[in-house]
Amino acid sequence: MEYTGSQILIETLKREGVDLLFGYPGGVIIDLFDEIANHPELRPIIVRHEQGAVHAADGYSRASGKVGVCLVTSGPGATNTVTGIATAYCDSIPLVVLTGQVPTNLIGNDAFQEVDIVGITRPCTKHNFLIKDIRKLAETVRQAFYLARSGRPGPVLVDLPKDVLVGKAEFVWPEEIHMRSYNPTYKPNLNQLRRSVEELDVAKRPLILAGGGVITSNAAAELTEFAETAKIPVTYSLMGMGSFPSTSPLSLGMVGMHGTYAANLAINSTDLLICVGARFDDRVTGKLSAFAPRARVVHIDIDPTSIRKNVKVDVPVVGDCKMAMQGILEIVRSRHADRDWGHDHAAWLDTVQDWKVSKPLAYSQDKDGPIKPQSVVEALRELTRGDAIIVTDVGQHQMWTAQFYSFTEPRTLLTSGGLGTMGFGLPAAIGAQMALPDKMVIAIVGDGSVQMNIQELMTAVVNKLPVKIVILNNQYLGMVRQWQELFYNRHYCGTSMEGQPDFVKLAEAYGAEGYRIEKFAELNTELEKALATPEPAIIDVRVEREENVYPMVPAGAALDEMLLV
Amino acid sequence: MDTKRHVLSVLVENEPGVLSRVAGLFSGRGFNIDSLNVAPALEDGVSHMTITTYGDPAIIEQIMKQLHKIVTVIKVTEFEDIPAVEREMMLIKVQADGPLRGEILRTVEIFRCKVVDVSPNEMTIEATGNHEKLEAIVSLLRSFGIKELVRTGSLAMRRSKKND
Ligand SMILES: Cc1ncc(C[n+]2csc(CCOP(=O)(O)OP(=O)(O)O)c2C)c(N)n1
Ligand SMILES: [Mg+2]
């Protein structure tokens, strides 16, 4: 029997385990929407802007570990996805983005709503496809899912010309996907694992740096066990937050530009840096030539290009972080069953503990003064007891969230780490809430960032998603203002956000609830009230306008050249 | 660091975007591309690229890894430590008036090049050889006046193992 391209695509999506897709209709995919209506088990979530669709699919994926799926039309629908795709690409998030395309016979003719989206997204997708033959449809879409979720995950785009969607063909389901040119390495080389442990044998001041790869490969438990077994202090990148409980005595907090004093000094002093699933972003390393100057480096990553890209590595380990952690643990246990690691690392553990105690993350809240943004994050942590999915936008509020929420579980902080995309927060929170309907989902956002995708509030309201949007409202593009204050002579050019809507009325206009908090004395009670509502809500918290994020390593400086409070 | 010329041989699936993926990798990451040659390989649906590039060992390592990461790249070989035959073809049009013609022809002889087109005051020469040989020919012919030059970029192939 023959099926239309739309039917084949939908059957393929179902077999890939897709039950919802984030999308927006248009001319060339109207046939597909027409068909979707016949399949109630495949639920389209209609956003208000295609960028929102991609961020929502991204948030869905980050929260659940599953592949997020988007469906948009050709031309402007497709170009609107680019920022979302690049965001997912930078953070290795598995997405399949389906774009409509003009019919194949019009491709190259500057047809109405034609754009070469495959060309445009080539550098920001893991891979992409233009399907020209309906007989390749099922197989190609299946390859797209396979590529998105395997190896180092990432977004894959599939461009679907209208004639492919309306054409007819047999449905052929490829049971196995094999691509001879694509064979990611999962199993680490045993010798390299042994060499890693040999490095640990002789190290006096070992340190683990955990990145997003630990979360991607679901290796948090193994990493934690390894650190606790061998008594190794742990720091993490922004993407690695939640891979190790920040409440553990071994946790040093986040490293890098806004990392803790203890973490940055530990990097400076360690003689063995074990980097697990992090790629040494410049926001982590600071000045490269001064990064971990005393350390031998073990680098575990599934992507060989991450290794030796910028930091000199002594023991490269290519493979899946979880398998590598398991392998290393096994070797450590069999070789050192009786070793008292706590005793052997005592001096080092004392040193890092001193750093933690002497210069913890700090701020001062005057009870009668303006609300400090850090107080809001701490209050949210208390009220939720850490049992929530926290999503952020980009800026100071993102850093305060990372510093003060005290993450203990993987997939509880969803944030745009690599691309730093303002406007990520609200749509990603929507996606996370779709993935985990029973969880409390809180977007901690900036007054600038939230305006970049505010239209998605409508998506939350229509779909009855009780997301809570907490605006740390400093009426500034605060992070940029901070740089202007510190390095540009307080020349606040272009960073005022005093021109902003009344967020409470705005929430109400969309059919959500709106709250405003202006006094520290009311912070807890008002937040508690707002979090309790079953409706989506905006909570506009007026905070100290010129609070800064500290510590701060100025761009291009070494990690031990931190500006402290 | 020692920046050297490297010859990379890249086997790719012949899908429509593959050249752009490879070229985009070099431009997007600021790697040098000195020459790039693409043509169908022996096997149907597979193309062969020969890329010559400059860089220190760390850059060449990164280029090779990045090439490998492209989903449709099947194999990447670098001919640094592997004995290989390298050939490139070039056409050169030189100024060739009366008395100089004899001297040009002698140069052509020495390098075993061919004259493929002649006019009263120009000569077009076809030359084949490795990179160094072609560079030598160009520098010798320069004194006569080169009017036009086209090169294919290098091709390279691993040498057969000698059974001794
Ligand atoms: C799409 C986008 N445009 C510009 C920037 C540059 N940028 C980084 S942080 C920031 C300020 C964000 O302001 P806000 O959302 O109010 O957060 P705050 O820093 O005040 O907490 C800007 C403009 C960015 N990261 N993303
Ligand atoms: Mg702000």
Side-chain angles (χ1 to χ4, degrees):
Chain A
M1 196 185 144
E2 297 214 314
Y3 297 90
T4 66
S6 297
Q7 288 169 329
I8 292 172
L9 176 61
I10 287 166
E11 181 60 26
T12 307
L13 293 177
K14 282 198 243 169
R15 292 194 189 197
E16 285 293 344
V18 179
D19 50 12
L20 44 93
L21 31 89
F22 300 88
Y24 208 84
V28 298
I29 52 167
I30 198 163
D31 304 275
L32 190 50
F33 271 88
D34 198 48
E35 184 61 33
I36 284 177
N38 302 329
H39 302 265
E41 53 301 16
L42 195 61
R43 188 170 159 210
I45 304 298
I46 304 306
V47 293
R48 293 297 177 266
H49 184 298
E50 289 90 349
Q51 183 185 352
V54 188
H55 289 325
D58 179 321
Y60 172 88
S61 176
R62 288 183 205 237
S64 67
K66 294 196 268 188
V67 179
V69 184
C70 311
L71 171 60
V72 302
T73 193
S74 67
T79 52
N80 271 349
T81 64
V82 172
T83 301
I85 294 173
T87 303
Y89 185 64
C90 285
D91 291 345
S92 309
I93 306 303
L95 300 183
V96 170
V97 179
L98 305 165
T99 51
Q101 182 55 280
V102 301
T104 44
N105 65 335
L106 287 184
I107 290 178
N109 274 291
D110 303 321
F112 178 64
Q113 296 195 328
E114 177 188 359
V115 76
D116 175 13
I117 195 63
V118 168
I120 288 172
T121 58
R122 211 167 267 135
C124 62
T125 49
K126 181 168 171 181
H127 194 58
N128 57 19
F129 299 94
L130 165 64
I131 302 184
K132 285 187 163 167
D133 179 352
I134 186 173
R135 286 167 302 178
K136 298 244 174 76
L137 177 57
E139 185 187 2
T140 307
V141 173
R142 192 145 154 68
Q143 280 180 345
F145 275 87
Y146 169 63
L147 287 170
R149 65 164 75 97
S150 62
R152 177 177 179 175
V156 178
L157 181 138
V158 184
D159 206 17
L160 303 157
K162 171 146 177 140
D163 53 322
V164 170
L165 293 174
V166 300
K168 286 197 159 187
E170 297 278 327
F171 178 78
V172 186
W173 177 246
E175 284 303 331
E176 295 260 328
I177 287 291
H178 172 71
M179 301 172 79
R180 65 171 161 181
S181 59
Y182 174 78
N183 297 293
T185 305
Y186 290 95
K187 198 166 177 294
N189 180 304
L190 187 59
N191 264 330
Q192 295 302 87
L193 295 181
R194 286 206 191 101
R195 282 182 56 203
S196 307
V197 178
E198 281 160 19
E199 295 285 344
L200 184 59
D201 288 350
V202 293
K204 298 211 158 51
R205 300 182 303 278
L207 176 68
I208 294 173
L209 165 55
V214 177
I215 293 170
T216 309
S217 74
N218 299 314
E222 287 78 4
L223 177 105
T224 305
E225 203 176 336
F226 170 51
E228 282 172 356
T229 304
K231 299 287 181 285
I232 308 172
V234 181
T235 180
Y236 24 81
S237 65
L238 180 64
M239 293 305 298
M241 293 227 124
S243 63
F244 187 77
S246 64
T247 45
S248 159
L250 289 170
S251 169
L252 305 184
M254 183 170 72
V255 69
M257 182 173 273
H258 293 295
T260 64
Y261 179 77
N264 286 345
L265 284 202
I267 292 272
N268 197 43
S269 315
T270 177
D271 63 352
L272 175 63
L273 182 62
I274 305 173
C275 176
V276 192
R279 60 183 172 85
F280 296 121
D281 183 279
D282 52 277
R283 286 293 189 264
V284 160
T285 62
K287 182 173 163 190
L288 256 186
S289 57
F291 179 74
R294 294 161 184 84
R296 298 205 24 107
V297 177
V298 172
H299 192 178
I300 303 169
D301 204 296
I302 196 157
D303 180 355
T305 68
S306 293
I307 298 176
R308 292 215 184 96
K309 186 173 63 179
N310 42 10
V311 166
K312 170 183 110 357
V313 172
D314 300 287
V315 185
V317 182
V318 176
D320 174 60
C321 290
K322 190 185 187 93
M323 294 171 92
M325 283 292 103
Q326 287 167 338
I328 285 178
L329 254 175
E330 214 166 281
I331 300 169
V332 165
R333 289 220 175 95
S334 68
R335 285 208 346 199
H336 299 292
D338 307 320
R339 182 162 170 181
D340 184 349
W341 295 93
H343 174 268
D344 294 352
H345 295 163
W348 172 233
L349 292 170
D350 282 349
T351 307
V352 297
Q353 184 60 25
D354 285 348
W355 288 331
K356 275 174 78 168
V357 175
S358 70
K359 299 231 165 39
L361 292 169
Y363 67 98
S364 62
Q365 173 70 61
D366 174 354
K367 287 193 170 24
D368 302 313
I371 302 174
K372 288 295 176 84
Q374 300 95 324
S375 299
V376 184
V377 176
E378 289 204 307
L380 287 169
R381 163 80 204 189
E382 293 240 320
L383 289 168
T384 58
R385 293 189 188 79
D387 185 17
I389 309 294
I390 304 294
V391 190
T392 78
D393 265 316
V394 172
Q396 291 182 312
H397 63 276
Q398 177 188 32
M399 292 300 118
W400 286 316
T401 303
Q403 291 180 332
F404 291 98
Y405 190 84
S406 216
F407 292 91
T408 54
E409 297 286 331
R411 301 190 187 283
T412 53
L413 171 62
L414 318 185
T415 193
S416 168
L419 197 65
T421 307
M422 290 171 66
F424 172 82
L426 170 51
I430 288 173
Q433 189 79 79
M434 294 295 314
L436 305 168
D438 301 326
K439 273 270 178 193
M440 165 84 80
V441 176
I442 303 175
I444 302 179
V445 300
D447 51 300
S449 298
V450 77
Q451 294 187 67
M452 286 210 175
N453 272 317
I454 190 74
Q455 76 287 346
E456 298 311 328
L457 193 51
M458 201 65 240
T459 311
V461 170
V462 167
N463 290 284
K464 301 193 166 46
L465 301 172
V467 290
K468 304 293 177 286
I469 301 141
V470 179
I471 305 177
L472 301 189
N473 192 345
N474 51 16
Q475 298 182 51
Y476 273 121
L477 299 176
M479 186 54 95
V480 183
R481 186 210 56 75
Q482 174 169 344
W483 286 46
Q484 290 172 329
E485 175 185 334
L486 298 176
F487 313 115
Y488 292 84
N489 218 359
R490 301 181 64 97
H491 185 205
Y492 294 170
C493 179
T495 44
S496 166
M497 278 283 129
E498 278 166 328
Q500 58 179 226
D502 178 330
F503 285 110
V504 172
K505 283 192 189 154
L506 185 80
E508 287 163 4
Y510 275 106
E513 290 183 7
Y515 299 81
R516 178 166 296 120
I517 309 178
E518 288 170 299
K519 294 203 180 76
F520 177 69
E522 294 163 3
L523 180 63
N524 260 291
T525 47
E526 284 298 299
L527 271 181
E528 190 167 15
K529 203 165 82 192
L531 293 185
T533 166
E535 305 296 324
I538 284 187
I539 304 137
D540 176 15
V541 189
R542 297 306 174 98
V543 297
E544 163 81 61
R545 292 196 66 198
E546 298 196 28
E547 183 74 4
N548 285 341
V549 183
Y550 288 116
M552 174 172 194
V553 179
L559 288 188
D560 60 350
E561 297 167 351
M562 276 165 284
L563 309 175
L564 296 161
V565 190
Chain B
M1 280 278 251
D2 47 336
T3 293
K4 282 205 327 214
R5 178 172 176 271
H6 292 255
V7 182
L8 307 177
S9 175
V10 188
L11 213 58
V12 299
E13 299 285 3
N14 190 6
E15 48 103 22
V18 68
L19 177 58
S20 163
R21 289 184 207 284
V22 170
L25 165 63
F26 278 78
S27 62
R29 292 186 180 268
F31 299 139
N32 294 306
I33 223 171
D34 195 45
S35 75
L36 167 65
N37 184 294
V38 202
L42 182 61
E43 187 186 338
D44 276 350
V46 175
S47 287
H48 200 123
M49 294 187 183
T50 309
I51 300 172
T52 59
T53 178
Y54 286 86
D56 63 39
I59 290 183
I60 299 300
E61 175 180 335
Q62 193 54 215
I63 291 177
M64 294 195 47
K65 286 172 164 180
Q66 293 286 355
L67 280 169
H68 227 344
K69 187 172 165 179
I70 295 175
V71 166
T72 43
V73 167
I74 303 166
K75 194 173 172 207
V76 185
T77 316
E78 200 255 332
F79 290 117
E80 167 101 286
D81 305 315
I82 302 170
V85 196
E86 187 194 329
R87 286 294 178 272
E88 179 173 358
M89 195 178 104
M90 130 178 113
L91 297 173
I92 312 186
K93 189 180 288 165
V94 285
Q95 185 75 31
D97 304 300
L100 291 174
R101 293 176 89 94
E103 211 171 316
I104 295 172
L105 285 174
R106 267 192 299 284
T107 312
V108 167
E109 276 287 288
I110 294 166
F111 283 101
R112 297 202 190 115
C113 308
K114 265 196 282 183
V115 176
V116 289
D117 188 39
V118 212
S119 77
N121 50 10
E122 286 175 357
M123 242 185 233
T124 302
I125 297 155
E126 172 194 318
T128 308
N130 65 15
H131 187 69
E132 289 72 27
K133 176 176 163 181
L134 296 198
E135 291 295 299
I137 296 172
V138 171
S139 81
L140 274 174
L141 291 179
R142 191 157 269 147
S143 59
F144 301 102
I146 298 176
K147 303 196 112 178
E148 237 184 296
L149 182 150
V150 283
R151 298 169 73 148
T152 57
S154 286
L155 295 178
M157 186 180 271
R158 168 200 288 268
R159 280 186 192 276
S160 304
K161 294 215 170 64
K162 306 276 188 301
N163 14 313
D164 50 350

